[in-house]
């Protein structure tokens, strides 16, 4: 599942493969850009911004892409079979003399002026893995709406950029509160730890092929994806539910013993909340 660390890795692979090289092949399979031709232009750099990818190209152009749930960029050497999915799922091809980058299932793909990048990513909060990271600003953003559930606030990229469903659940576990706890109810000491802990987790995993939050070899995550298996700390069965307005799947996991705060009612997972201690 692409989150800030996954996107950072994708940007690095694309940068190593394309940066400083001239494009010999360009194919953007989106109706709006079907006639766009980037061949003959050099790729300047590939930069991650939260969950967004910015591929900057000679001539003041930027190819902006977003992976969302299952998008991906694959890099292939000449003669290697493309294996990222069926051909009809390809949305972009950028090729040089010795590498070809293929974008599969990209829900967002747009070509814009580099000077207009703010139109695509200007709304984002401080990037957990970016040079603009500011823990104080991130915390201020989160606390702006004290009644909002913590999990929803963490997923809002306007507050801080890079957290998805996995880190949302893991952060809440490490803080000892449920994702439904109002942000304003988070004890001050834990609120102060939140931005630092979030950055620590993403930094630790940005160079790893498998995401780890536990520090253990065989059990990578504390709660995400573990329901109804026992909690790694107390042995209580981990629970799961959806969080949000129901417009999209937001799988959420928590330990009812290790985490205090509201949880969704079993009968109405998106409705009434109850409190656990």
């Amino acid at each position: 599942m692409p989150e800030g660390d996954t996107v950072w890795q994708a940007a690095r692979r694309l940068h190593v493969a394309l940066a400083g090289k001239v494009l010999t092949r360009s194919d953007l399979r989106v109706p709006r850009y079907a006639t766009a031709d980037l061949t003959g232009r050099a790729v300047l750099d590939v930069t991650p911004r939260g969950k967004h990818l910015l591929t900057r190209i000679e001539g003041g152009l930027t190819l902006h892409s977003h992976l969302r749930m299952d998008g991906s960029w694959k890099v292939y050497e000449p003669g290697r079979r493309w294996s990222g999915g069926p051909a009809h799922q390809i949305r972009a091809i950028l090729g040089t003399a010795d590498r070809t980058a293929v974008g599969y299932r990209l829900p967002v793909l747009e070509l814009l002026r580099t000077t207009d990048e703010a139109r695509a990513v200007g709304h984002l909060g401080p990037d957990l893995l970016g040079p603009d990271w500011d823990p104080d600003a991130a915390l201020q953003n989160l606390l702006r709406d004290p009644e909002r559930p913590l999990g929803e606030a963490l997923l809002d990229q306007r507050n801080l950029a890079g957290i998805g469903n996995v880190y949302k659940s893991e952060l809440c576990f490490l803080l000892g509160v449920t994702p439904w706890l109002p942000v304003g109810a988070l004890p001050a000491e834990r609120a102060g730890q939140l931005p630092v802990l979030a950055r620590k987790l993403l930094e630790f995993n940005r160079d790893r092929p498998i995401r780890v939050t536990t520090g253990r070899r065989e059990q990578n995550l504390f709660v995400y994806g573990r329901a109804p298996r026992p909690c790694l700390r107390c042995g209580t069965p981990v629970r799961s539910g959806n969080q949000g307005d129901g417009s999209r799947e937001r799988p959420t996991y928590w330990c009812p013993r290790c985490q205090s705060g509201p949880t969704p009612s079993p009968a109405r997972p998106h409705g009434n909340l109850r409190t656990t201690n």
Side-chain angles (χ1 to χ4, degrees), residues 232-249:
L232 295 180
R233 282 186 176 170
C234 72
T236 302
V238 172
R239 295 182 183 175
S240 65
N242 286 321
Q243 184 173 33
D245 58 9
S247 61
R248 66 174 70 178
E249 290 292 319

Side-chain angles (χ1 to χ4, degrees), residues 27-36 90-91 106 109-110:
D27 186 359
L28 304 182
R29 298 182 181 180
V30 177
R32 184 178 177 184
Y33 305 110
T35 60
I90 295 175
R91 295 293 175 266
L106 301 175
L109 186 70
E110 62 175 338

Side-chain angles (χ1 to χ4, degrees), residues 176-178 180-181 239 254-264 273-277:
V177 298
T178 70
W180 291 271
L181 182 79
R239 295 182 183 175
W254 77 98
C255 172
R257 182 173 181 181
C258 293
Q259 295 171 253
S260 62
T263 61
L273 299 182
R274 61 181 182 178
T275 300
T276 61
N277 296 314

Side-chain angles (χ1 to χ4, degrees), residues 17-200:
L18 303 176
K21 301 174 183 177
V22 175
L23 292 173
T24 58
R25 182 176 181 181
S26 164
D27 186 359
L28 304 182
R29 298 182 181 180
V30 177
R32 184 178 177 184
Y33 305 110
T35 60
D37 186 5
L38 301 175
T39 58
R41 299 173 185 258
V43 175
L44 303 179
D45 66 75
V46 182
T47 298
R49 183 72 175 85
K51 299 182 184 181
H52 300 251
L53 283 164
L54 302 172
T55 302
R56 299 184 179 116
I57 300 166
E58 186 179 26
L61 296 175
T62 295
L63 185 64
H64 165 231
S65 59
H66 194 296
L67 305 180
R68 287 193 181 163
M69 291 300 291
D70 62 348
S72 68
W73 279 96
K74 304 289 186 180
V75 176
Y76 302 101
E77 298 177 356
R80 184 181 169 191
R81 181 176 176 271
W82 296 1
S83 56
H88 72 266
Q89 293 183 348
I90 295 175
R91 295 293 175 266
I93 301 173
L94 299 176
T96 69
D98 61 354
R99 294 288 190 280
T100 300
V102 184
Y104 291 89
R105 301 171 298 279
L106 301 175
V108 176
L109 186 70
E110 62 175 338
L111 188 63
L112 62 154
R113 291 287 177 186
T114 301
T115 53
D116 293 334
E117 284 182 359
R119 180 166 60 82
V121 297
H123 66 288
L124 298 175
D127 186 345
L128 281 155
L129 293 178
D132 69 318
W133 173 242
D134 184 335
D136 294 331
L139 182 58
Q140 206 169 38
N141 291 344
L142 289 167
L143 295 175
R144 189 172 294 137
D145 184 357
E147 297 303 316
R148 192 175 191 185
L150 176 59
E152 292 183 19
L154 289 172
L155 290 179
D156 191 336
Q157 304 299 295
R158 296 171 297 181
N159 292 331
L160 69 172
I163 290 178
N165 287 323
V166 177
Y167 283 120
K168 174 193 75 172
S169 294
E170 294 296 292
L171 274 169
C172 289
F173 176 82
L174 291 170
L175 291 169
V177 298
T178 70
W180 291 271
L181 182 79
V183 175
L186 189 65
E189 181 181 353
R190 299 186 200 179
Q193 294 173 348
L194 193 159
V196 177
L197 182 58
R199 180 175 171 85
K200 182 178 179 180

